[in-house]
Amino acid sequence: MAEVIRMPLLSDTMTEGVIAEWHKKVGDTVKSDDVIAEVETDKATMEVVGYVDGTLLYIGVEKGQAAKVNQIIAIVGKPGEDYKPLLEEAPASSSQEPAKNEAAPAPTAAPAAASFDKAAADEALKNATVIRMPLLSDTMTEGKIVAWNKKVGDTVKSDDVLADVETDKATMEVIGYADGTLLYIGVKEGDAAKVNDIIAIVGKKGTNVDAILAMENNSGSAAPASTEEAPTASTSSAPAASASEAATGTGEEGRVKASPLAKKLAAEKGIDLSKVTGSGDNGRIVKRDVDNYVPSAAPAQAAKTATAGAATYIAGEEGHTDLPLSQMRKVIARRLGESKFSAPHFYLTMEINMDKAMEARKAINEISPVKVSFNDMVIKASAMALRKHPEVNSSWMGDFIRQNQHIHIGSAVAIEDGLIVPVIKFADQKSLSQIAGEAKELYDKAKNKKLQPQEFSGNTFSISNLGMMGIDQFTAIINPPDSAILAVGGIKETVVVEKGQFKATNIMKITLSCDHRSIDGAVGATFLQTLKGYLENPVTMLV
């Protein structure tokens, strides 16, 4: 059955997006991980992935035109498949003869997908807004509802945060951009929903939610797995009570008033919420309060909590612990698995004499407003080397190779849930102090799960540095859509022979992982030679 591709919500302030480019045309074969279009939002130009296999049957928005969030921009299905009924149903602009009597919300199971009253659905959509799981990162396929900040029956304003969603890269807030009453919640806390699944409906009280859900089921779009009916008090009372306890803090956890996301972040950071001052309504603690909290004796409490939660091991007995996968871990497994087994990797290793780099860094930090690290120097040198070797600053696109004219360096950061790659954009055009300042800000945001989509997407080349952990040398898996990634080891004092004399030299080993489909061995080798020249003589980076 054909699948509808809608304009995703790519930033927390986005209401519409402009199609900057279509990468597919009607009739083209589309894979689930293909980038079908580029969309310009209010903050960045980002890629739209369809997440379905088939043939592109329909393009609803021409290049250069804008579409509102959740508007149909394309349809993918089988060749020759009739997709027009999907277009007739989605806009709620046309009507047909009613198939049944006047509908009213009923406390029954979820509506069947076999038939639906289109006239009733059209009328309901005039008074309600469907909230779907937004695309919050370029690699996201589903999101997990961490917490609902509203319950069924609550009044909702257009700028209210409805829910907190955990993606593969961060925990982010979902805003409904609609005024009204929360009529329906389609995904419970702790459950996941695929991108574009219905997660909530906001509108006027008394709106026929069943008709909207029946139309969604009939159209072949992702239907809500939950069978709870929003308009009925009986089916929503349990989750409403749970949400109320979490929001007011009057449950078993104590009398502290805190939002669910604030509680989650506080638990992760080992922060005692009783010591945090709330800035929300009636002193309620919200996410920003936890983010801005400066702990005093919090580390000891965090250590105590970690010890209490540790597994108990009994000598002589076998055992194991099954850990649930976070959204981030799922995407790491999928994306890097695809990269490793689809991109033919080859590896080039080189030793760098860091004596002059160490001297230069010391001199730079005496005048730099921000402390410059060796990793910042590697980022700058890599960016300048990429400018001379554009073949490495490329992406394999299936039937062509894309050489990027801009240089965006991704720098991998290890966080509690896995790995994320903040991106320093236009790195070749920035000074070392600018790179250092921006990198520090991005790393702090990454560790606090505050990165925005535009800050961890768009990389054209990546760097992974384990030198600070005592690793001399390693190989890294290419981070799609890049064609290469640089693995950086630690600086180690090594005895070498120079002109028949022994001397101690500071050596750093780097390994370049290349996608052989877009980069040949000689190309990768010459890139490393240029990079080596910049690092061994840092003055050349300033010319």
Side-chain angles (χ1 to χ4, degrees):
M1 182 175 288
E3 294 283 346
V4 167
I5 311 298
R6 300 177 184 272
M7 175 63 72
L9 182 68
L10 298 172
S11 78
D12 55 350
T13 58
M14 174 182 172
T15 57
E16 66 178 17
V18 175
I19 301 294
E21 189 67 53
W22 281 104
H23 294 302
K24 299 288 183 178
K25 60 181 182 294
V26 172
D28 283 357
T29 299
V30 176
K31 295 181 179 179
S32 60
D33 58 352
D34 281 351
V35 175
I36 62 172
E38 290 182 12
V39 171
E40 181 181 345
T41 72
D42 56 330
K43 292 184 176 178
T45 298
M46 301 182 70
E47 297 174 336
V48 174
V49 179
Y51 300 112
V52 289
D53 293 321
T55 299
L56 185 57
L57 305 176
Y58 169 80
I59 289 178
V61 183
E62 297 294 331
K63 176 181 176 181
Q65 294 184 351
K68 292 190 177 298
V69 171
N70 279 332
Q71 180 179 331
I72 293 176
I73 59 173
I75 297 177
V76 175
K78 296 179 181 178
E81 186 175 354
D82 184 13
Y83 60 86
K84 292 182 179 179
L86 296 177
L87 297 175
E88 294 172 357
E89 295 160 8
S93 58
S94 60
S95 61
Q96 60 186 42
E97 290 299 319
K100 56 182 179 180
N101 294 331
E102 184 178 353
T108 59
S115 62
F116 71 97
D117 187 337
K118 187 167 189 308
D122 288 350
E123 185 62 30
L125 284 171
K126 293 178 181 178
N127 300 314
T129 300
V130 172
I131 311 298
R132 299 180 182 272
M133 177 61 72
L135 184 68
L136 297 172
S137 81
D138 55 344
T139 58
M140 175 182 172
T141 58
E142 66 178 13
K144 178 181 176 181
I145 301 293
V146 175
W148 282 103
N149 298 323
K150 298 287 184 179
K151 60 182 183 293
V152 172
D154 282 357
T155 300
V156 175
K157 295 181 180 179
S158 60
D159 57 352
D160 281 351
V161 177
L162 295 182
D164 301 312
V165 172
E166 178 186 310
T167 73
D168 56 308
K169 294 183 175 178
T171 298
M172 304 183 70
E173 298 174 335
V174 173
I175 299 173
Y177 299 110
D179 293 321
T181 300
L182 183 56
L183 304 174
Y184 172 81
I185 289 178
V187 184
K188 296 178 181 178
E189 288 186 8
D191 289 350
K194 293 187 179 300
V195 170
N196 276 333
D197 276 6
I198 291 180
I199 59 173
I201 297 177
V202 174
K204 292 183 179 179
K205 289 183 179 180
T207 299
N208 187 354
V209 175
D210 284 351
I212 298 174
L213 298 177
M215 184 179 74
E216 181 75 9
N217 289 345
N218 188 274
S219 69
S221 300
S226 172
T227 58
E228 68 176 293
E229 295 298 317
T232 66
S234 59
T235 55
S236 62
S237 60
S242 174
S244 176
E245 288 179 5
T248 61
T250 57
E252 295 180 355
E253 294 180 319
R255 296 182 177 277
V256 177
K257 295 180 180 180
S259 71
L261 181 57
K263 288 187 176 184
K264 180 176 184 292
L265 291 176
E268 291 174 351
K269 298 179 179 182
I271 295 175
D272 183 355
L273 284 176
S274 65
K275 298 179 180 178
V276 180
T277 302
S279 62
D281 296 336
N282 299 317
R284 184 169 179 254
I285 298 170
V286 293
K287 178 176 178 286
R288 63 176 175 271
D289 300 322
V290 178
D291 290 335
N292 296 330
Y293 175 67
V294 179
S296 53
Q301 179 65 28
K304 182 178 177 182
T305 304
T307 304
T312 301
Y313 299 99
I314 301 176
E317 288 191 12
E318 295 182 349
H320 67 270
T321 302
D322 293 329
L323 304 176
L325 296 178
S326 65
Q327 296 300 109
M328 177 176 287
R329 181 55 56 187
K330 288 179 183 178
V331 172
I332 289 173
R334 177 177 62 84
R335 294 271 290 178
L336 294 187
E338 290 173 354
S339 174
K340 182 66 175 177
F341 299 115
S342 65
H345 286 52
F346 72 89
Y347 310 96
L348 301 170
T349 300
M350 184 172 283
E351 293 185 349
I352 310 293
N353 185 328
M354 295 294 287
D355 287 345
K356 290 184 178 180
M358 294 174 73
E359 294 174 2
R361 176 174 175 261
K362 183 178 179 181
I364 289 170
N365 280 333
E366 289 178 356
I367 59 173
S368 174
V370 186
K371 184 178 179 181
V372 174
S373 69
F374 288 113
N375 196 64
D376 299 328
M377 298 178 75
V378 172
I379 291 173
K380 176 65 174 177
S382 298
M384 296 185 69
L386 288 171
R387 182 58 65 199
K388 291 190 174 183
H389 303 277
E391 303 92 337
V392 181
N393 193 44
S394 63
S395 300
W396 176 260
M397 305 302 292
D399 51 359
F400 62 91
I401 296 173
R402 173 173 295 161
Q403 285 190 8
N404 299 293
Q405 297 176 357
H406 55 280
I407 296 174
H408 295 345
I409 305 290
S411 182
V413 176
I415 57 177
E416 184 179 353
D417 295 335
L419 186 74
I420 193 167
V421 186
V423 179
I424 298 169
K425 300 188 175 181
F426 305 106
D428 60 317
Q429 302 172 26
K430 295 177 178 177
S431 67
L432 281 169
S433 58
Q434 286 177 316
I435 290 173
E438 187 173 332
K440 184 181 184 302
E441 181 181 354
L442 290 173
Y443 299 159
D444 289 342
K445 283 186 176 182
K447 291 175 182 177
N448 292 320
K449 296 185 177 181
K450 295 169 67 177
L451 281 177
Q452 295 300 307
Q454 66 271 15
E455 294 174 322
F456 54 72
S457 59
N459 47 286
T460 62
F461 183 84
S462 296
I463 295 171
S464 180
N465 191 337
L466 294 178
M468 68 290 294
M469 296 182 177
I471 302 301
D472 293 334
Q473 178 184 348
F474 69 103
T475 58
I477 300 174
I478 296 169
N479 180 32
D482 302 347
S483 288
I485 183 170
L486 186 70
V488 182
I491 300 174
K492 185 175 182 180
E493 193 171 38
T494 306
V495 177
V496 298
V497 178
E498 185 176 308
K499 297 180 180 179
Q501 299 293 323
F502 291 100
K503 62 176 293 188
T505 302
N506 293 287
I507 298 295
M508 181 178 74
K509 292 183 179 179
I510 57 175
T511 300
L512 185 69
S513 303
C514 302
D515 183 346
H516 217 324
R517 296 174 300 180
S518 48
I519 300 176
D520 292 327
V523 172
T526 54
F527 168 80
L528 284 184
Q529 287 177 337
T530 302
L531 177 60
K532 178 183 175 76
Y534 284 130
L535 289 174
E536 291 190 341
N537 190 11
V539 175
T540 57
M541 288 192 282
L542 307 177
V543 177

